[in-house]
Amino acid sequence: MSTDESLNRAEELLTRVEAVRAELEQLSAGEGGSPERAIELLGELSELAKAVEEELARAQRAAEEDAQS
């Protein structure tokens, strides 16, 4: 996967992070919010953050490989 592809994927994941964060914020602002849903959203945020980190690491490796060639 190229640097650009990894960076594009990371951007897509960050867009999903923002959507989940907004849902969590909306849930916390409303009365009677579901604690179970909040836990699900926090888990999803954690997984998305890991995926973003992996994509950024891939992009860095690809950039380093390009620089060496």
Side-chain angles (χ1 to χ4, degrees), residues 1-61:
M1 188 174 283
S2 75
T3 303
D4 288 340
E5 290 171 330
S6 289
L7 291 175
N8 287 336
R9 177 77 175 130
E11 286 177 6
E12 291 170 8
L13 290 166
L14 287 171
T15 299
R16 289 179 53 200
V17 165
E18 179 57 28
V20 172
R21 186 210 56 79
E23 185 179 346
L24 185 59
E25 186 176 308
Q26 185 177 32
L27 184 66
S28 70
E31 291 191 27
S34 167
E36 293 84 12
R37 180 63 182 146
I39 291 170
E40 285 177 22
L41 291 171
L42 290 171
E44 190 172 341
L45 283 173
S46 175
E47 292 301 317
L48 287 168
K50 288 177 191 175
V52 168
E53 185 177 7
E54 290 170 4
E55 288 300 331
L56 293 176
R58 274 192 202 103
Q60 183 176 10
R61 284 192 303 272

